[in-house]
Each structure stands twice: as C-alpha cells, then as structure tokens.
Amino acid sequence: MTEIVNLERELDRFRLRLFAAALFVLLGFGLIAARLVVLQVVRHDELAEQAEANRITVVPVVPNRGLITDRNGTVLASNYSAYTLEITPSKLQGELEAVIDALAGVVEIQPRDRRRFKRLQEESKNFESLPIRNKLSDEEVARFMAQRYRFAGVEVRARLFRHYPFGESASHVLGYIGRINPSEKLAMADWDDDAQANYKGTDSIGKLGLEQSYERELHGATGFDEVEISAGGRAVRRLRSQSATPGNTLVLGLDMRLQRLVEDLYGERRGALVALDPRSGEVLAFVSKPTFDPNLFVDGIDAESWKDLNESLDRPLLNRALRGTYPPGSTYKPFMALAALATGKRTPQQSISDPGYFWFGNHKFRDDKEGGHGLVDMYRSIVQSCDTYYYLLANDLGVDLMAQQMAPFGFGQLTGLDLSGEARGILPSTDWKRRNYRKPEQQRWYAGETISLGIGQGYNSFTLLQLAYATATLASGGQRRQPHLVREVVDVVAGTRRAAVQPALAPLAIKPEHLAVVRAAMVGVNVEGTSAAAFKGAGYTSAAKTGTAQVVAIKQDEKYNASRTAERLRDHALFIAYAPAEAPTIALALVVENAGFGAASAAPIARRVFDYWLQGLYPADEDVAAVQQGQAGPPVRPALPLAEWAALRAAAASAATPPGLSLAAAAPARVSR
C-alpha cells in the first residue's frame, strides 16, 4: 500500500534542523569572533610583546676584562682570544658519552677534560653550552669543522681567556678568575637588576686577590646584539647592537722587577715580604713564598694540580703576607722603646746590668747572649738586641699599657689594604684574653705572661703587612698612610685616571726627641749592630732591626740547638728596615720561615731590595744564589746594572706566549747569566 507523505510535517522537521544548524554555525562564528576580540583587542599588547620576543633574541656581548699593570706599565694580567669546543647537552642526538667518544676521534680530549666537563655539567643547566676542550689549535678547528655535520649540539666558539704572563710571580696579589659556581650564582640573585644583567653571558668571575677585590672595575659593561630570527631559530639579520664596554685598567704601585727580585732571593724557602712607600702607603712589593700559577685556574684546575697545591706542607695557596701571623721577635723592640719613652718608664740614658737572664718568680728568662751584654742603655738595647732590657721593660709597662701604646702603630688592627681576607693578628691584653677564652682560669692574665711580650714573643702574633705598616709609620715620623696596592684606575674608554690613594690618617703624637733616639739606634743596627755585615759597603744609610722568633717553646733548662731541631720547628728569621734613613722612600718587613737568625737569613734580602730601589742595581745570579743559602755578607761582586738586566730580559721573549697574545703584553722569563 502506498504511504502518504505528510509534506507539511517533513518541512517542519527540515526547518528545525536548518535552524539548529544555523544556530550552531552562528554560535561557532560568535565564539571565533569573541576569541578574536580577546586576542586582537583585550590581549593585544601582551601578545604583540610575546611575538616580538619570539621574533627577536638578545645576544649578550661579553666585555674585555680590564688589564692590570705595575707602576712601570708592565702588564701583569691580560686577555687573549682562543677557540673552545662546546657541547649543549639538551641539543645532543644520542648519549653524551658516545658523543664525547666520537669527538675524541676528531680532536684530543684528555681525561682531565672529561672530568672538568662533568663537574661543569653538575653546576650548570642542561641547556647551557659547556666547554669540553679549550684553546683548540687551528688544525683542530679545521678537523672539527670538516665533520661538524656529525655532531648536533656541538660548536666551536671564540672565547676570551685571562692570562698572567709572569706565571707564579705576584699571584697572591693578582689572584685569579674562575667559572661562576652555584653559590656565587645564588649570591648574584640578591644583586639589583642592572648588576645581574651585566653578567649575562659571562661565566667567569674574580676569585682571589685583586681580581676579586676589584671585580666591578675589571669586569666592564656587557653589550648586546638584537637579532631577528626565523621560526626555525636561525638568525636573519641584526636589528641593533650596543658594544660592550671593556673593564678599567688597574695601575698598581707594585714594581714587578722588585717583586721578581725578592721571589728569586727567597728561592725555595718559605716566607713573606711587604715593602711600602712611607710617603704614600703604596705597596712596592708584596711577596708570599711559595706561590702558585694562577693560569692553572682559568680553565678550571685539574684534580691532580689542585691536590698538589691544597695538600702541600708548604701551603702555597696561603697568602703569608696578608693572612700569615707570626711573633715579631726582636723587631718589636724599637716600638717597645718608643712606648717606654712615651710613658716615662725609661729615659735614653737609663741603663741596666744584663747578666744574660732575668728571673721572674721561679722562671728564668734567658737572653740570647751567654753571659749577657753588660751595661745596656736604650741605644745598645736595640743595636745589640738585648732581651733582658725588654724583659724588665715589659714587667714595668704591664700588658694593658703595652697594648695601648702598640695599637696606634697598627699591631693587631686591620690596615685596610685593598685585598680581602686580611688577618687581624693578636695584640694581647687582659680584655683580649677574657674575650677569647671560656674557662675562668684561662681568662685570668698571669704576670709571668707579660715578660716574653717585651721581646715580641708570647701571645704576640702579627701579619707582615702590619709589621711593614708599623715600620713605615716609624720611618715617616708618625705620619700614617693606609697601605694600598692600586695606585690609580684608568677608564680606557674615556681615557681618564682616578687616583686610588686614600687620604692620610691622623699622625701619631710622637715627640721628635723620642723618635730621634730610636731611629739613631736603628741606624746603628746596620752600622755596628746585628746586621752590619749584610750592609757593609752600602752606598746609602739605612735603619733596621733584626729579629728571631721562636716557633715552639723550649724547656727552661734546655738550650736551643737548630741542628737538633726539626726544620719546620726552627726559629723564624725576621727583619724590618727603611731607607734612606734621613728621608725614607721605602720601608719593609720580611720573614724567612724556620731560617734562624734574622741577621743571617733575612737582612741580606733587605740589602738587595735597597740596592735595587735606591741605586738601580740588580744582583747577579751568583749573588742571588748566595742569599738563598743564607750568606749574610754584601754582594759577592758588583750588582748587575738595571739597564743591562732590562736589555737581557727584553731579548728573551717567552716561547710559551699563548695564541693571540702580543709579546708586548707578555714578560719574558728570567734570564740566566
């Protein structure tokens, strides 16, 4: 039977479906339109900024690190460019170890390179580019570039490297730079935005010495390149750029020829020397022996070298001039004499009879001379270094009055030198002992502890920097100048120079007649006293005081015998001096560890320093060897004129100059004659 179709009903259904479809289409277009309004109107600024950021990338331009030069313009720290082979772990195709093994077939990769890379990887993020090999040769670069297609995520880059052309010389002054570690990155998070932005793209920072203390001056200002990139991440064109501003140059008061001379004179012996200009406070030489090569740290020091430095009994990483503390021994006596005159405890003419010892209670304090020095006044007490005189004086002064008189000279005080890490040392007093000991019986000051303080022993413990500062203050008649290494800072862009000299401190109120007594006695030390042999025939007048400091105490009934004492337990040799005596231009303090008498081991070093500084004479190699062996006499033959020495050194260009470093910026090695 034929079905009768209800056309009207079908049309209604069709219209309903058509309406529903139209409504759905309209709703869809409405949502799209609404979304377009949100994207194009509401979020236009935000999305436009994101799009621009995706189109443009900012590449930091690392600045050249500032140079460091000595007072004569000799470059002590410079930069050179070299190629590095770098891996970005996040971009690798394959296992990291497999990629490194494959790379080793193209360029040499040693086990130390792998260990350093692993350490850097632990300290860095996965997307950072890390060096697997530094300082590639041109041949190695060519070999890699020919097979670059095999190594996704591996690139050759040009980087700047720090270089210290004198190697181990003055390393405790210069310090070194190294890769920014996690703790330093954490500290940088507290910096302001501008300071953080200035280290974008930089992976090294000053770690020690001037490199650390003057990091902000040396680093410079980071530049940038704005580069347009494609959707695939490839650079299309440079939109704009701002050049990096190189770091400032530090000009030191240090004389590198003098620095090298002192280091040669020490040889393999341990010790320290600080030489100052008493007129300005400039550091002329700052020696700590043994030393280390800061170039080892630039790329990241290998484990073997670090172990050698860190575990050595000689402690080459210790800055003995800044952080090493020593009892001053008899070099303390001129300052004790000034304290005696200032407090009225002694007059220059007042004498004692020295039997060679001083009894205090039931303890016998020995003089260094068997049988004593006889009748001793203040002049002879310094010239002949009479211990008994100062045992009695210490007992009369008392510990607190001594501390009160010695503190203004800088003993036990921070000098404010422009290097971080300076040790304070110990200037003992009853208050110091109460603050530094816990038990009541330890906090108490015993009268017998005062006696040995008079000869620079007991609790006395000072840095060579403090001793040199005190000597410079005495040499200048009480005028105090803050010691400083940097003489001026040079802005290499503007060409301006900024003096780094600090204003003079308030002078000490030393009576001229008191000063004259002590200075005359110190001149006598080099003319007729304990160091006369070392200064025989000098063409100038100098003032000094020898010192010998005990390392370990000996029993009361025993006599010290160096030959029967272990080498590292023997007495230290100390010496302070300034010259010319009538108008000093240099003052110094030095120690030769475990070397015995200051007159034999330390005074000859000071003599050669003064010969160079005052007369322009540089010792011949035979004389250097004699001083290294502790010979106290004058130079074995006339010293080598400085002009001849300079000509020889200029002719000996170092064959180890790194690629890209001009020989004009590198100093030749010491020439043997």
Side-chain angles (χ1 to χ4, degrees):
M1 185 174 83
T2 304
E3 183 178 353
I4 299 174
V5 178
N6 189 333
L7 292 177
E8 193 65 33
R9 187 175 59 185
E10 289 299 323
L11 285 172
D12 289 341
R13 287 179 180 177
F14 175 76
R15 292 188 187 99
L16 181 61
R17 290 171 185 166
L18 184 62
F19 177 77
L23 186 62
F24 179 78
V25 170
L26 287 174
L27 181 61
F29 276 105
L31 291 173
I32 292 173
R35 183 60 178 166
L36 285 173
V37 170
V38 170
L39 294 177
Q40 295 292 337
V41 179
V42 179
R43 299 184 60 192
H44 174 271
D45 293 340
E46 174 191 348
L47 296 176
E49 185 177 341
Q50 288 184 16
E52 189 69 8
N54 290 333
R55 183 180 71 89
I56 299 173
T57 185
V58 178
V59 180
V61 179
V62 180
N64 284 345
R65 194 169 180 85
L67 303 180
I68 303 177
T69 74
D70 80 341
R71 65 190 301 118
N72 301 310
T74 303
V75 177
L76 310 182
S78 59
N79 312 296
Y80 69 97
S81 179
Y83 292 112
T84 65
L85 187 64
E86 302 194 5
I87 298 176
T88 306
S90 62
K91 296 182 179 180
L92 292 182
Q93 295 178 358
E95 293 294 328
L96 176 61
E97 287 300 323
V99 172
I100 294 177
D101 290 339
L103 282 172
V106 180
V107 298
E108 182 181 8
I109 297 177
Q110 298 180 354
R112 69 179 294 269
D113 297 321
R114 294 174 182 261
R115 290 193 297 269
R116 183 185 61 212
F117 182 84
K118 185 176 181 180
R119 186 179 69 251
L120 293 176
Q121 192 177 14
E122 292 171 353
E123 298 174 354
S124 307
K125 297 177 181 178
N126 196 45
F127 57 80
E128 292 184 8
S129 179
L130 306 175
I132 183 68
R133 255 294 308 279
N134 289 325
K135 302 175 187 176
L136 298 176
S137 67
D138 291 340
E139 181 183 348
E140 287 176 318
V141 172
R143 284 205 306 267
F144 172 77
M145 295 305 290
Q147 301 189 49
R148 182 182 180 184
Y149 66 92
R150 296 172 48 198
F151 302 103
V154 183
E155 296 180 17
V156 169
R157 292 187 177 181
R159 286 184 180 263
L160 286 175
F161 289 89
R162 198 64 160 167
H163 180 62
Y164 305 96
F166 285 93
E168 294 188 356
S169 290
S171 60
H172 289 98
V173 173
L174 301 174
Y176 57 86
I177 66 168
R179 193 174 182 88
I180 301 172
N181 60 40
S183 62
E184 289 164 336
K185 288 181 179 179
L186 190 62
M188 285 180 174
D190 296 329
W191 293 2
D192 58 56
D193 292 341
D194 290 341
Q196 290 187 46
N198 198 33
Y199 278 79
K200 293 292 185 183
T202 302
D203 57 9
S204 295
I205 197 170
K207 299 281 188 176
L208 200 69
L210 293 173
E211 293 279 22
Q212 180 185 46
S213 298
Y214 285 84
E215 169 64 27
R216 295 294 178 94
E217 295 283 359
L218 292 166
H219 179 266
T222 299
F224 65 87
D225 284 336
E226 271 192 8
V227 181
E228 184 178 4
I229 57 174
S230 66
R234 297 184 61 184
V236 176
R237 61 192 174 104
R238 180 185 297 173
L239 300 177
R240 69 188 182 99
S241 65
Q242 179 176 307
S243 300
T245 303
N248 294 331
T249 294
L250 302 183
V251 180
L252 311 186
L254 198 80
D255 186 318
M256 196 57 180
R257 290 172 296 194
L258 176 59
Q259 180 83 13
R260 297 268 289 182
L261 167 61
V262 176
E263 291 172 350
D264 286 347
L265 292 170
Y266 268 88
E268 299 300 317
R269 296 177 295 178
R270 301 177 301 279
L273 177 146
V274 177
L276 303 174
D277 185 337
R279 302 166 299 177
S280 64
E282 288 183 1
V283 177
L284 308 177
F286 198 85
V287 174
S288 176
K289 288 283 288 185
T291 184
F292 63 92
D293 186 354
N295 292 300
L296 293 172
F297 292 87
V298 174
D299 299 342
I301 191 169
D302 61 277
E304 292 82 1
S305 297
W306 173 250
K307 183 177 180 181
D308 290 342
L309 291 173
N310 197 43
E311 298 182 5
S312 171
L313 291 176
D314 292 335
R315 303 179 70 188
L317 295 176
L318 171 65
N319 189 335
R320 285 168 161 81
L322 187 73
R323 296 194 54 78
T325 56
Y326 304 86
S330 293
T331 62
Y332 209 45
K333 291 174 180 175
F335 305 99
M336 285 291 295
L338 282 173
L341 294 170
T343 57
K345 297 294 184 179
R346 294 289 187 277
T347 65
Q349 299 78 24
Q350 189 174 347
S351 301
I352 67 155
S353 180
D354 173 26
Y357 55 85
F358 171 68
W359 279 103
F360 186 85
N362 61 353
H363 189 87
K364 185 179 184 181
F365 291 86
R366 299 175 183 272
D367 196 292
D368 67 311
K369 184 178 181 181
E370 194 82 27
H373 295 84
L375 199 63
V376 180
D377 60 6
M378 184 170 286
Y379 177 86
R380 292 191 67 201
S381 75
I382 294 174
V383 172
Q384 297 182 7
S385 198
C386 175
D387 288 345
T388 306
Y389 185 96
Y390 291 95
Y391 290 145
L392 284 162
L393 177 57
N395 188 50
D396 291 345
L397 285 170
V399 60
D400 287 333
L401 187 54
M402 272 191 283
Q404 179 185 329
Q405 291 293 314
M406 295 301 180
F409 282 97
F411 292 112
Q413 319 296 315
L414 297 178
T415 67
L417 183 75
D418 46 350
L419 279 186
S420 60
E422 180 183 355
R424 182 176 291 275
I426 298 173
L427 178 63
S429 66
T430 53
D431 180 62
W432 165 82
K433 203 174 185 190
R434 280 194 300 269
R435 286 185 285 106
N436 285 274
Y437 289 91
R438 293 183 178 180
K439 298 180 180 179
E441 62 272 19
Q442 293 175 321
Q443 293 176 337
R444 178 184 174 189
W445 187 271
Y446 297 92
E449 295 175 318
T450 304
I451 308 304
S452 58
L453 298 180
I455 63 166
Q457 293 286 169
Y459 291 111
N460 285 323
S461 185
F462 311 122
T463 66
L464 265 294
L465 176 60
Q466 290 172 348
L467 197 54
Y469 174 70
T471 304
T473 301
L474 191 155
S476 63
Q479 179 60 66
R480 297 181 295 173
R481 292 280 187 176
Q482 183 174 319
H484 56 278
L485 284 157
V486 176
R487 170 189 273 189
E488 58 184 7
V489 178
V490 181
D491 186 321
V492 296
V493 177
T496 57
R497 293 174 176 265
R498 183 176 77 251
V501 179
Q502 299 295 323
L505 303 174
L508 300 185
I510 306 175
K511 291 184 177 180
E513 59 269 27
H514 295 168
L515 190 66
V517 171
V518 174
R519 292 179 66 163
M522 293 181 70
V523 170
V525 170
N526 281 350
V527 174
E528 57 175 318
T530 50
S531 55
F535 282 84
K536 182 180 179 181
Y540 48 85
T541 305
S542 58
K545 182 67 191 81
T546 56
T548 304
Q550 284 185 346
V551 175
V552 293
I554 59 174
K555 295 180 180 179
Q556 183 172 333
D557 56 349
E558 290 183 359
K559 187 176 180 180
Y560 173 76
N561 188 317
S563 62
R564 293 201 299 265
T565 304
E567 190 268 339
R568 292 180 184 272
L569 299 180
R570 295 173 187 169
D571 294 346
H572 295 324
L574 293 105
F575 196 72
I576 62 171
Y578 61 85
E582 57 277 9
T585 61
I586 183 171
L588 60 80
L590 69 115
V591 61
V592 185
E593 292 184 5
N594 312 118
F597 294 110
S601 300
I605 296 176
R607 165 69 189 273
R608 275 64 179 182
V609 169
F610 289 168
D611 283 351
Y612 166 81
W613 190 254
L614 301 176
Q615 299 180 310
L617 300 176
Y618 206 92
D621 287 353
E622 300 95 314
D623 186 33
V624 171
V627 174
Q628 291 173 354
Q629 296 166 12
Q631 297 182 13
V636 295
R637 65 183 177 84
L640 183 67
L642 183 59
E644 183 182 343
W645 172 85
L648 286 170
R649 292 184 65 103
S654 174
T657 303
L661 178 65
S662 168
L663 287 177
R670 188 175 188 277
V671 182
S672 178
R673 296 184 72 254

